[in-house]
Amino acid sequence: MSEYVPMRLPRRRSVAVQVGSVMVGGDAPVVVQSMTNTDTADADATVAQVAALARAGSELVRITVDRDESAAAVPRIRERLDRIGVNVPLIGDFHYIGHKLLADHPACAEALAKYRINPGNVGFKAKRDTQFSQIIDIAQKYDKPVRIGVNWGSLDQELLTKLMDENAASPNPIAASAVMREAIIQSGLLSAERAESLGMARNKIILSAKVSNVQDLIAVYADLAARCDYALHLGLTEAGMGTKGIVASAASMGILLQQGIGDTIRVSLTPEPGGDRSKEVQVAQELLQVMGFRAFVPVVAACPGCGRTTSTVFQELASDIQEHIRVSMPVWREQYPGVENLNVAVMGCIVNGPGESKFADIGISLPGTGESPSAPVFIDGEKVMTLRGPSIAEDFKAMVLGYIEQ
Ligand code: SF4
């Protein structure tokens, strides 16, 4: 199997933050994270979803902690996850009353690996500073890092108004959208500064500044990255459903990652009703893998097919192999270390088939229309045999497994 060589593009230097067993920032690879959509007070449902997300490859999982019942459930959720061998660190997502929930539920404060604080939602204006300080104090008491997570949907309105007023009074006012971006950045930086002034170490702080517009996200993070060395969590908020959410997330985060910006990512997809929450983990992994930053699962390269592929054998085999890999990965990962680096090619005919197959670890070029019903197979760049007959697909699947086992 070809050895995977991760891309060594220059990466922005950030301060590494230990989140439970997972390192974020510094020299650590970009971490994939996700968030549950269960009611955290429902421990059964939350344990099941956290486990599913972790098994799909989420390296950190965030859960909502919005009231006493959910805070009380957190230690039970942690305990049950540990019992079934799911050790993924849990992050508590707090808004409005985080200071109170953490103070009233010490077991919750202890069980979480990180606290997410939204500076725009720390509490009512008059008490905001005190409540923010309380959360930072508790984080220090339990030795937990925090993510100061700004979201433009809940931006600190006081700060925004102040910057808008200053801009209006300026002899050279800038566009309102630029003031909004500045407010998002300042909200994060000022809160981080305040946390440090309260004694929190830099290696306990992660920042994020999420917006829902692709160009704004790129501009905000590029600016934020240049103005600090805190580890950064990337995410396009409210990315949306289906292909739109995937494309928007990949476009925005792909550009930032290519610039070396981002230490952990979340792809926030709105699931179809009853849809699989793990999809966002899969998309985040695929984004990092197609960009060459990390390897998670074997890659199946397949051509799109065209008028030369009138039979469905080629599409069926490509999708069969992909599914076979997806289902087998939990076991393969244990049994065959490095299997995630495997490259398989399933090509529709001899036009590009042999060439592409030679670049894969193992590849097959199925017969197109007018070609003899034979399928050359390439291993490590060499043609090793030609498969014929009705069992080409099954034979090739067996060869892929044989290759992995070797
Ligand atoms: Fe068409 Fe063959 Fe190219 Fe596939 S490899 S797209 S079947 S010409």
Side-chain angles (χ1 to χ4, degrees):
M1 213 174 301
S2 54
E3 191 196 345
Y4 178 72
V5 182
M7 289 283 288
R8 285 291 174 206
L9 291 170
R11 186 128 170 246
R12 165 183 170 269
R13 288 186 66 79
S14 63
V15 178
V17 179
Q18 188 76 46
V19 182
S21 56
V22 175
M23 190 64 90
V24 173
D27 291 329
V30 180
V31 169
V32 171
Q33 63 176 283
S34 59
M35 184 173 182
T36 56
N37 62 355
T38 54
D39 176 359
T40 304
D42 182 346
D44 288 348
T46 304
V47 166
Q49 195 172 69
V50 171
L53 290 167
R55 287 183 185 125
S58 188
E59 294 160 309
L60 300 171
V61 177
R62 183 159 44 117
I63 59 177
T64 300
V65 189
D66 58 345
R67 61 192 199 279
D68 284 314
E69 290 81 356
S70 49
V74 170
R76 292 203 308 274
I77 291 168
R78 176 72 276 164
E79 210 176 287
R80 284 174 57 185
L81 287 167
D82 289 341
R83 232 184 293 139
I84 57 171
V86 177
N87 302 315
V88 67
L90 293 177
I91 299 159
D93 195 62
F94 294 98
H95 299 271
Y96 311 114
I97 54 169
H99 60 289
K100 190 172 177 320
L101 293 174
L102 286 165
D104 292 349
H105 297 271
C108 167
E110 179 62 56
L112 293 168
K114 176 165 64 108
Y115 313 149
R116 184 272 171 115
I117 312 171
N118 179 338
N121 281 349
V122 172
F124 298 112
K125 189 180 149 197
K127 295 185 175 167
R128 198 173 288 160
D129 282 354
T130 321
Q131 294 173 352
F132 182 83
S133 311
Q134 284 172 334
I135 299 179
I136 297 299
D137 287 348
I138 294 170
Q140 290 185 85
K141 178 178 169 190
Y142 291 97
D143 196 24
K144 308 287 182 182
V146 297
R147 169 162 69 91
I148 295 174
V150 182
N151 190 305
W152 84 317
S154 47
L155 183 56
D156 179 341
Q157 292 303 304
E158 200 186 341
L159 175 64
L160 179 61
T161 305
K162 174 178 162 281
L163 293 182
M164 285 289 187
D165 289 348
E166 284 173 8
N167 186 51
S170 157
N172 300 305
I174 56 175
S177 56
V179 179
M180 170 81 109
R181 290 195 291 270
E182 179 61 20
I184 291 165
I185 294 165
Q186 280 201 23
S187 177
L189 290 176
L190 291 171
S191 297
E193 235 173 66
R194 181 154 162 66
E196 281 199 65
S197 73
L198 293 165
M200 181 147 256
R202 295 179 78 70
N203 68 355
K204 293 285 182 191
I205 300 173
I206 296 175
L207 285 191
S208 67
K210 297 187 182 182
V211 299
S212 62
N213 175 282
V214 168
Q215 295 295 350
D216 282 335
L217 190 89
I218 295 166
V220 162
Y221 270 94
D223 203 351
L224 184 61
R227 288 162 65 172
C228 70
D229 63 358
Y230 296 114
L232 296 181
H233 164 95
L234 292 191
L236 183 76
T237 191
E238 287 95 45
M241 299 182 76
T243 51
K244 185 262 167 186
I246 294 172
V247 171
S249 296
S252 53
M253 288 195 268
I255 287 170
L256 289 164
L257 291 165
Q258 185 71 8
Q259 294 171 5
I261 298 169
D263 301 294
T264 171
I265 65 170
R266 179 187 175 209
V267 174
S268 308
L269 299 178
T270 307
E272 304 290 340
D276 183 3
R277 190 71 173 172
S278 305
K279 177 96 176 170
E280 65 176 51
V281 177
Q282 186 191 345
V283 173
Q285 287 186 330
E286 285 181 0
L287 173 60
L288 293 173
Q289 183 148 359
V290 296
M291 293 192 72
F293 294 118
R294 292 188 66 183
F296 297 95
V297 290
V299 170
V300 179
C303 75
C306 66
R308 294 177 63 93
T309 50
T310 50
S311 93
T312 56
V313 174
F314 141 73
Q315 289 100 322
E316 280 166 11
L317 180 58
S319 111
D320 221 19
I321 292 278
Q322 186 84 64
E323 184 59 14
H324 186 56
I325 287 171
R326 194 186 66 76
V327 171
S328 308
M329 262 320 270
V331 176
W332 286 358
R333 210 174 268 127
E334 300 284 314
Q335 286 182 349
Y336 311 115
V339 68
E340 65 275 10
N341 300 317
L342 180 76
N343 287 296
V344 182
V346 179
M347 298 295 288
C349 80
I350 55 167
V351 172
N352 293 319
E356 187 71 44
S357 298
K358 280 182 193 169
F359 285 114
D361 294 307
I362 177 164
I364 188 167
S365 175
L366 287 152
T369 51
E371 293 171 23
S372 60
S374 60
V377 175
F378 297 80
I379 290 184
D380 297 333
E382 301 291 332
K383 181 178 166 186
V384 292
M385 66 183 302
T386 300
L387 295 175
R388 291 191 173 80
S391 61
I392 288 179
E394 286 310 309
D395 293 347
F396 183 64
K397 269 164 64 179
M399 289 185 76
V400 172
L401 183 59
Y403 184 86
I404 293 170
E405 283 172 343
Q406 279 171 28

